[in-house]
Amino acid sequence: MKARVMIMLGLASFILTGCGSDDGNHSEMKAAIQMEAEDQGYSNIKWPFFEEDWHFEKKSDGNYTSHGTFRSNGKSHEFSAEVDPDSDMILDFYAD
């Protein structure tokens, strides 16, 4: 199961990084957040398309926080997450 998640995360990162890899492109962190939401039980998720919809903000400790909305099974959910940009590990995730 863990291998499948890692393969999916790697594939998602590969696909998303095709758009560029400048400092403003948070595709690896986006993929980690998406995987975390799926692990939390959300399904049929529709994520924000535009970069500005993700609201990434760098904290003083170097980690990033993100917040925004996604749709799951037709219902809108707000989310917030904290991500370590070096490992793309989710440190905190909440969705209502």
Side-chain angles (χ1 to χ4, degrees):
M1 178 73 165
K2 192 169 203 151
R4 189 185 100 191
V5 169
M6 293 304 291
I7 290 170
M8 290 173 52
L9 181 58
L11 182 59
S13 294
F14 176 75
I15 291 170
L16 292 173
T17 56
C19 298
S21 60
D22 63 329
D23 193 45
N25 184 353
H26 304 290
S27 58
E28 292 87 5
M29 291 190 289
K30 287 179 183 180
I33 292 169
Q34 291 170 335
M35 295 297 293
E36 181 66 23
E38 289 176 8
D39 289 347
Q40 299 260 339
Y42 294 97
S43 59
N44 300 319
I45 299 173
K46 304 287 188 238
W47 289 93
F49 180 76
F50 297 103
E51 177 73 25
E52 60 269 15
D53 292 337
W54 284 81
H55 307 287
F56 279 96
E57 184 175 320
K58 189 170 187 175
K59 296 175 46 181
S60 61
D61 62 4
N63 294 331
Y64 280 82
T65 57
S66 178
H67 64 276
T69 59
F70 65 88
R71 296 187 65 78
S72 175
N73 293 322
K75 183 178 177 191
S76 183
H77 299 275
E78 290 189 31
F79 76 91
S80 64
E82 182 176 350
V83 184
D84 177 348
D86 296 327
S87 66
D88 297 322
M89 177 180 262
I90 301 295
L91 303 173
D92 188 34
F93 178 83
Y94 172 79
D96 66 358

